[in-house]
Amino acid sequence: NAGVTQTPKFRVLKTGQSMTLLCAQDMNHEYMYWYRQDPGMGLRLIHYSVGEGTTAKGEVPDGYNVSRLKKQNFLLGLESAAPSQTSVYFCASREDRGHGETQYFGPGTRLLVL
Amino acid sequence: AQSVTQLGSHVSVSEGALVLLRCNYSSSVPPYLFWYVQYPNQGLQLLLKYTSAATLVKGINGFEAEFKKSETSFHLTKPSAHMSDAAEYFCAVSKPSYGKLTFGQGTILTVHP
């Protein structure tokens, strides 16, 4: 039982390049989330999904797209990377049993955009 | 609307001393509150959560937090700090809409020998 895994762990991009971050969970969770972490700002929600085939915008969605084609996977895409997207990205998942349920986090992906 | 404020971006204590990390929340509905810990270069791990049962919540590694509605606070404490407690700590409130978490800014705890 690996929990929540993220690939890659670290990536360097040039401005304008694109990439996809992959999140996978093996807990059969319905809900999945993408956050970004920046110093002094905590974690901020980018996009989330409440089930296979569904996605919705979070607090800071601009410049990102997501897809949830399979229940266990949640992909975060950057079509044209910008230096402002340099951050640490975390994926999380949880069960669908009320908003007191715990979110389980992956180890993160560090992205540097030059 | 839900929001969280963590007072103090850095807290430094001596090993064996009391740890107190402050969190105040704002919520238009009865809140569900969480404390997460992040060790260097790792993801977030749940320490404890309040879900309207007991107001004093005990978590892992000897941490506990008390929900005080009158003060809109959910401060995290540990009676005796250990070197291994050095990490960043996040307080979060859950929104009724799909359980989205709103995080505080984080508090970095340093423990001195």
Side-chain angles (χ1 to χ4, degrees), chain B residues 61-97:
Chain B
N61 302 338
F63 284 93
E64 63 181 37
E66 185 172 9
F67 173 73
K68 292 187 176 180
K69 184 178 179 180
S70 61
E71 299 178 7
T72 61
S73 68
F74 189 56
H75 301 331
L76 182 70
T77 60
K78 182 175 180 177
S80 177
H82 192 272
M83 297 295 289
S84 61
D85 295 326
E88 188 164 15
Y89 293 79
F90 292 95
C91 183
V93 62
S94 176
K95 298 182 180 182
S97 171

Side-chain angles (χ1 to χ4, degrees), chain A residues 45-58:
Chain A
L45 182 65
I46 305 171
H47 285 281
Y48 65 100
S49 168
V50 301
E52 181 178 314
T54 75
T55 62
K57 293 181 180 180

Side-chain angles (χ1 to χ4, degrees), chain A residues 18-46:
Chain A
S18 64
M19 78 165 294
T20 300
L21 284 68
L22 171 63
C23 174
Q25 53 96 2
D26 62 1
M27 297 175 282
N28 201 36
H29 287 169
E30 287 291 337
Y31 289 12
M32 297 186 74
Y33 309 83
W34 274 108
Y35 296 89
R36 61 176 289 172
Q37 181 182 24
D38 302 292
M41 302 186 74
L43 279 75
R44 292 178 292 167
L45 182 65
I46 305 171

